[in-house]
Structure formats: structure tokens, C-alpha cells
Amino acid sequence: MSWNPVYRLIKKIPRGRVTTYGELARTLRLPGGARAVGYALAACPNGYGIPWHRVVGARGYLRIGEPHRSLQRQLLRSEGVDLESGRIDMTLFGWSPLHGPRKRPRPRSKRIHSRERRN
DNA sequence: ATCTTGACTTCGG
DNA sequence: TCCGAAGCCAAGA
């Protein structure tokens, strides 16, 4: 079970961070794509310390149905992941197995044109 | 073999 | 940014 590459990778997700089904699928190059990850998680065993709750949809929504959904909310909240808006801000809490924490986009400034290019 | 369903993502309007 | 449609794949019925 926990020798499953999907689970192994999920174990690497840091506390307070989340990643997506698609990201995991891409990383592992799963032919089945994102859905395959969903299937793996549906069969996810308990008691192996697999932080299944840190896997969310590409847009920061929880894809699992009740009653597990509530548990996932609670677990994420306990780690400091903000869900108040109904979805997770991936620019803040997203994490990639390959690239680590997702880079926060530079605040869109209004005065871009007056900026001389550097580098 | 066909159809449905789901812990999905991307694209176009 | 929001929403529906389409693409996608494995499992069950």
C-alpha cells in the first residue's frame, strides 16, 4: 500500500501545503492522468500516515464528497490552510513535488509601463 | 460489449 | 473570473 508511488509522493507534501491530483499525475507520469490519482486515493488505507487531505483539485477546491469532505476541511484548517473563501489560494498554499512551493505571482501593479527593463 | 460514475483537467465563450 | 462542454481513464453494473 504505502509502497505505491502515489502514496510515497503524497507523504512528501509538507504540513500546511497542498498539491493537486494533476500535479501528482504529471510528476509520476501516470498514463491515467489526474483521475488515476483520484482512484488511488479512493483506495487509500488508513494508518499509514498518508496525508491524503493535502491533495486538492487544480483550482483549489475539495473534490471529495461528504462526509470525508468535512474531515478534509478540518484537517487542513488545523494545519493553517485557509478555506474560508470556499477554495484554497494555490498561490499561497500550493506545493509541487518538483518545484516546491508555488511561486507567488508578483502583485499586478498599475504602473508597469514606466518601469525600465532590467537584466 | 455498452453505459454510468467519479477524490480530474483544460479549453472556449 | 465564472461556467459548461469536452477530453479522459478505470471500475462496476
Side-chain angles (χ1 to χ4, degrees), chain A residues 5-18:
Chain A
V6 176
Y7 299 148
R8 248 196 325 247
L9 194 50
I10 291 177
K11 280 189 176 180
K12 297 186 176 185
I13 308 173
R15 253 185 88 84
R17 289 280 176 166
V18 297

Side-chain angles (χ1 to χ4, degrees), chain A residues 106 111-119:
Chain A
R106 87 180 42 186
R111 46 177 178 49
I112 312 166
H113 61 85
S114 63
R115 188 122 207 88
E116 75 260 14
R117 104 191 55 231
R118 59 213 154 114
N119 119 355

Side-chain angles (χ1 to χ4, degrees), chain A residues 1-118:
Chain A
M1 284 311 174
S2 62
W3 51 83
N4 181 319
V6 176
Y7 299 148
R8 248 196 325 247
L9 194 50
I10 291 177
K11 280 189 176 180
K12 297 186 176 185
I13 308 173
R15 253 185 88 84
R17 289 280 176 166
V18 297
T19 193
T20 72
Y21 300 91
E23 192 64 29
L24 292 172
R26 275 191 297 276
T27 302
L28 297 172
R29 298 189 170 79
L30 290 182
R35 287 200 119 120
V37 175
Y39 273 101
L41 277 158
C44 180
N46 298 332
Y48 287 84
I50 301 170
W52 58 271
H53 59 283
R54 297 181 189 145
V55 184
V56 303
R59 294 176 181 163
Y61 289 104
L62 305 188
R63 304 295 291 178
I64 192 176
E66 297 293 352
H68 305 80
R69 195 188 182 88
S70 298
L71 177 59
Q72 184 173 22
R73 273 190 92 96
Q74 177 192 325
L75 290 171
L76 287 173
R77 192 167 64 83
S78 74
E79 297 186 356
V81 177
D82 178 33
L83 288 156
E84 289 311 299
S85 67
R87 79 188 169 201
I88 299 168
D89 185 340
M90 298 305 283
T91 67
L92 293 179
F93 301 102
W95 179 89
S96 160
L98 295 177
H99 314 111
R102 178 167 169 182
K103 212 191 296 181
R104 179 136 46 155
R106 87 180 42 186
R108 4 201 182 304
S109 167
K110 270 137 289 192
R111 46 177 178 49
I112 312 166
H113 61 85
S114 63
R115 188 122 207 88
E116 75 260 14
R117 104 191 55 231
R118 59 213 154 114

